[in-house]
Amino acid sequence: DAGVTQSPTHLIKTRGQQVTLRCSPKSGHDTVSWYQQALGQGPQFIFQYYEEEERQRGNFPDRFSGHQFPNYSSELNVNALLLGDSALYLCASSFSDNYEQYFGPGTRLTVT
Amino acid sequence: ILNVEQSPQSLHVQEGDSTNFTCSFPSSNFYALHWYRWETAKSPEALFVMTLNGDEKKKGRISATLNTKEGYSYLYIKGSQPEDSATYLCLSVSWGKLQFGAGTQVVVTP
């Protein structure tokens, strides 16, 4: 049984560009949450998707958007990248009302 | 309290010693409090999901307590071992909001 997978592992982008990160949830999970973890901080909640809709959102600007597909996989899109967007982006999946989160390995984004 | 706060930020423990640390969280609209262990180069791993005031959970040498009225949770490690070295994160789940603390980094030295 595959756990949560994320792609790519590492990514380098230039300021102003756009990026798409991908996440496949653990088998049987229908909810995907995205987090940003900057150096020295705990993960910050970006948003959560359930049944292809954004269910909850943290304090992130509209430059951060997402999508969930019918197979429950998800994408995180960030437009107009800023240097401050450099971080580890974690995806976590859970089953509906059971909020225990299973995390993927993360995508390390560097914006230059 | 509006944000999730963990203390201390880091601690060093001698192998065999016991230790504990705190997570403070907003008590309003509380739904659940999670604890995760995050080892270097690995993904965070769930330790406990706690929902009821007074709840106590145990997994091996690690246990946790929850006070939802005052908004805090303690994590205890009994007889620390080098493999307990990790960052321990708490996650507050309330209606419409998920908040992680910054974590407590635990280093267990032989």
Side-chain angles (χ1 to χ4, degrees), chain A residues 9-11 21 35-39 41 44 46 60 64 81-90 106-111:
Chain A
T9 307
H10 294 90
L11 202 51
L21 311 182
Y35 297 88
Q36 179 196 67
Q37 202 239 352
L39 212 56
Q41 297 181 24
Q44 300 293 311
I46 303 174
F60 278 79
F64 290 76
L81 284 166
L82 303 173
L83 296 179
D85 295 332
S86 295
L88 178 69
Y89 288 84
L90 291 166
T107 293
R108 172 73 61 188
L109 172 65
T110 302
V111 181

Side-chain angles (χ1 to χ4, degrees), chain A residues 20-81:
Chain A
T20 297
L21 311 182
R22 295 178 176 82
C23 171
S24 291
K26 182 177 167 64
S27 177
H29 285 182
D30 57 9
T31 303
V32 174
S33 302
W34 286 93
Y35 297 88
Q36 179 196 67
Q37 202 239 352
L39 212 56
Q41 297 181 24
Q44 300 293 311
F45 174 64
I46 303 174
F47 42 54
Q48 183 182 80
Y49 276 84
Y50 171 70
E51 291 190 343
E52 302 179 53
E53 302 241 339
E54 185 182 288
R55 180 159 69 174
Q56 299 183 46
R57 189 179 182 93
N59 295 325
F60 278 79
D62 292 344
R63 298 186 298 109
F64 290 76
S65 63
H67 189 78
Q68 186 178 35
F69 300 93
N71 67 353
Y72 306 119
S73 67
S74 176
E75 287 182 350
L76 163 66
N77 300 293
V78 187
N79 294 324
L81 284 166

Side-chain angles (χ1 to χ4, degrees), chain A residues 35 42-43 45 56 99 101 104-105, chain B residues 31 34 36 43 96-98 100-101:
Chain A
Y35 297 88
F45 174 64
Q56 299 183 46
Y99 280 86
Q101 316 244 325
Chain B
Y31 183 82
H34 299 199
Y36 292 86
S43 305
K97 207 168 185 179
L98 282 77
F100 270 104

Side-chain angles (χ1 to χ4, degrees), chain B residues 28-85:
Chain B
S28 60
N29 300 317
F30 173 84
Y31 183 82
L33 192 284
H34 299 199
W35 281 100
Y36 292 86
R37 173 168 57 201
W38 196 354
E39 297 178 66
T40 304
K42 294 185 179 180
S43 305
E45 175 193 358
L47 288 172
F48 306 114
V49 176
M50 308 173 78
T51 57
L52 300 175
N53 185 44
D55 211 359
E56 289 188 32
K57 299 251 179 169
K58 188 175 180 182
K59 182 185 280 191
R61 295 177 292 97
I62 301 177
S63 60
T65 60
L66 179 66
N67 183 321
T68 62
K69 294 183 192 289
E70 297 182 35
Y72 65 83
S73 176
Y74 290 119
L75 192 92
Y76 300 88
I77 305 176
K78 185 178 177 182
S80 303
Q81 299 296 309
E83 58 265 31
D84 296 327
S85 296

